[in-house]
Amino acid sequence: MIESLAPELQLEIMRNVDIDSLYSLIRASPRFLQVFCSQKESLLTQIAFQQYHPSLANDLRKLGSASQIGPYPNEDQIQDYLLVIQKADFWQSPNAVPLESVATYRLSPIIAWFMNDYKTHTLAFLENLAHRQGFSQDSKVLHSDLSDVEYGRIQRAFVRIETFRYLFTAPPGAPFSVSRTCLAKGYFYEYTPDEVEEFVCIRDYIMRRLWGVFEDVEDDALLEETPEDPIRQLGAARTPHRWFSNNGKHYYLRYMEYMMSLGLPFLKEVILSSGLQRADLVISNSYPRDRYLSDEIMDPRLSGVSPGELPDYHDGLYDDGEGEYVGEAVNNISQGLLWANRLRIPIDYGRPQLKGLRDWGYVFWSRERLQASGVLDKE
């Protein structure tokens, strides 16, 4: 029995299992629990790095810290968080903000699902765009597995979306105050232009998916001819803005903003649900919310680099100022952003003129995938 194995072998077993199997072991065996407690920090840190891209260590610490504040943090708590993460010792002490937060582990499989869903939907946009424009495509490369850089960037954006919601979610029906809006803007202050754009791309993708869900709920209700239909009754119960009225769609985007504040686990449940369960999840959580993840918050003046300072696109590389070209990396400037800059496309974050680019996730993809799509040939 593994219960009788030497502690060194039990430790090695725990180093090679996923988080659910690990917790099953320590719940079932006092011996495994004892070994786990003696090596908790190293074990959980290792598992965290197995689940996430190595470049996300700081983002995971921020997520872990934000998740521990508690529900509906007030402005003072948010301000304290933003001040703490700016201090050097926040990063220098490995124990200051644990990687092993429950939120970090529970989020990993949910983000994995969203990453696959995001890739499927956005590359379909890109492929259709190329067909309409008559670009020459390499479909095999276009739909190939995510590269290391693409994986890191997309995963990072979803982690940051979830960190943001831990900080800025307000109670149902509560207004998103001016002071909270100012703090939300401060959240983006440290990010570079492409990192801000990553965030907006994910926001727009979630809204597209939710819009489809909302339309399905409305269609299900319209198929019924009687007001006694359960979905219609749910909609009629929502006040003051009734779901199936002439102006119901006017509130869709405001409802979506609130639903995004409920987190990725809730959003996945909504997207995968159907019928009355879907209607209940959607209509019961239809609270109007303004300014949460709005264009106003992602202000272009807060980015670390202004559009005019972006380096020129050159064979998918950029000049570091010393005549040496630097290749693709998660923390290097996005190839898509460089391409857009080369074409003098206005990089104005959260604004409508970039919606078409965001629909296909232009800041996430590698030069190889962009080249395969044909968009790099556009002059």
Side-chain angles (χ1 to χ4, degrees):
M1 293 178 58
I2 59 174
E3 177 78 11
S4 61
L5 292 174
E8 295 79 7
L9 293 176
Q10 292 178 336
L11 179 61
E12 192 62 29
I13 290 173
M14 287 189 284
R15 290 190 186 281
N16 290 279
V17 298
D18 59 32
I19 190 64
D20 292 331
S21 299
L22 174 61
Y23 280 123
S24 295
L25 281 172
I26 62 178
R27 283 195 297 265
S29 167
R31 290 278 308 275
F32 272 91
L33 176 61
Q34 184 179 14
V35 174
F36 169 79
C37 291
S38 68
Q39 299 290 330
K40 179 180 178 180
E41 181 183 333
S42 63
L43 271 172
L44 293 178
T45 299
Q46 176 181 335
I47 293 175
F49 277 104
Q50 290 172 351
Q51 294 175 313
Y52 292 93
H53 193 276
S55 66
L56 271 60
N58 288 349
D59 284 291
L60 295 179
R61 289 192 171 94
K62 291 178 183 178
L63 171 65
S65 180
S67 70
Q68 294 168 10
I69 296 176
Y72 311 134
N74 57 40
E75 280 82 355
D76 289 339
Q77 290 174 306
I78 298 171
Q79 182 68 55
D80 289 344
Y81 168 90
L82 295 175
L83 290 173
V84 166
I85 65 172
Q86 294 173 12
K87 296 179 180 179
D89 58 3
F90 179 88
W91 309 112
Q92 292 171 356
S93 172
N95 297 320
V97 183
L99 285 171
E100 63 265 26
S101 71
V102 173
T104 301
Y105 293 118
R106 288 180 176 173
L107 192 60
S108 176
I110 295 170
I111 287 183
W113 182 88
F114 271 106
M115 290 176 67
N116 182 66
D117 191 69
Y118 182 81
K119 176 177 180 284
T120 300
H121 282 80
T122 52
L123 288 182
F125 270 105
L126 182 53
E127 186 170 40
N128 291 335
L129 168 69
H131 281 313
R132 292 196 305 270
Q133 297 293 328
F135 297 156
S136 176
Q137 285 188 318
D138 184 336
S139 184
K140 183 177 180 181
V141 174
L142 179 60
H143 293 284
S144 61
D145 292 340
L146 294 176
S147 70
D148 180 73
V149 172
E150 292 170 335
Y151 185 93
R153 282 197 175 127
I154 298 174
Q155 192 178 54
R156 176 176 67 186
F158 278 108
V159 167
R160 288 174 175 176
I161 282 274
E162 194 71 355
T163 303
F164 184 91
R165 76 98 171 176
Y166 274 117
L167 292 171
F168 296 103
T169 297
F176 205 83
S177 65
V178 174
S179 58
R180 188 173 287 259
T181 300
C182 292
L183 289 170
K185 288 184 176 183
Y187 175 85
F188 292 97
Y189 185 80
E190 65 179 296
Y191 294 149
T192 58
D194 44 350
E195 291 175 337
V196 176
E197 278 294 277
E198 289 171 5
F199 208 102
V200 184
C201 284
I202 298 300
R203 179 203 67 178
D204 288 359
Y205 148 76
I206 292 173
M207 284 191 161
R208 287 196 306 272
R209 296 293 269 131
L210 286 177
W211 192 275
V213 169
F214 281 33
E215 292 280 9
D216 287 346
V217 170
E218 185 170 337
D219 289 347
D220 287 345
L222 293 177
L223 290 174
E224 301 293 336
E225 298 181 355
T226 64
E228 290 77 21
D229 170 61
I231 295 180
R232 281 183 173 272
Q233 289 181 338
L234 280 171
R238 294 291 305 142
T239 56
H241 314 299
R242 298 187 183 277
W243 250 76
F244 308 118
S245 61
N246 291 334
N247 66 345
K249 280 187 169 61
H250 173 73
Y251 295 96
Y252 275 12
L253 291 178
R254 297 178 67 192
Y255 296 155
M256 290 177 195
E257 288 208 39
Y258 173 72
M259 289 185 188
M260 284 196 291
S261 76
L262 300 181
L264 295 176
F266 170 80
L267 293 171
K268 179 186 175 185
E269 183 180 8
V270 169
I271 292 169
L272 294 180
S273 61
S274 61
L276 186 58
Q277 180 196 15
R278 169 178 279 189
D280 189 21
L281 285 169
V282 170
I283 297 174
S284 300
N285 288 284
S286 294
Y287 294 93
R289 172 61 47 80
D290 291 321
R291 293 198 296 271
Y292 181 87
L293 286 181
S294 65
D295 296 347
E296 175 187 354
I297 286 174
M298 283 164 273
D299 192 309
R301 292 169 296 177
L302 295 178
S303 63
V305 183
S306 69
E309 294 173 343
L310 286 171
D312 288 336
Y313 178 93
H314 179 79
D315 294 333
L317 305 173
Y318 70 92
D319 194 337
D320 67 358
E322 299 178 358
E324 180 180 349
Y325 289 101
V326 182
E328 291 184 78
V330 173
N331 294 318
N332 285 353
I333 294 179
S334 157
Q335 302 299 295
L337 194 68
L338 292 172
W339 165 77
N341 183 65
R342 176 194 175 203
L343 298 182
R344 302 295 185 262
I345 297 173
I347 309 300
D348 196 8
Y349 317 109
R351 303 304 192 264
Q353 59 262 44
L354 283 182
K355 182 183 182 304
L357 299 186
R358 296 190 187 110
D359 283 344
W360 52 268
Y362 77 111
V363 289
F364 290 117
W365 310 123
S366 66
R367 179 178 183 270
E368 183 181 20
R369 198 181 303 275
L370 292 173
Q371 189 71 58
S373 74
V375 298
L376 296 189
D377 296 329
K378 176 178 172 57
E379 297 294 339

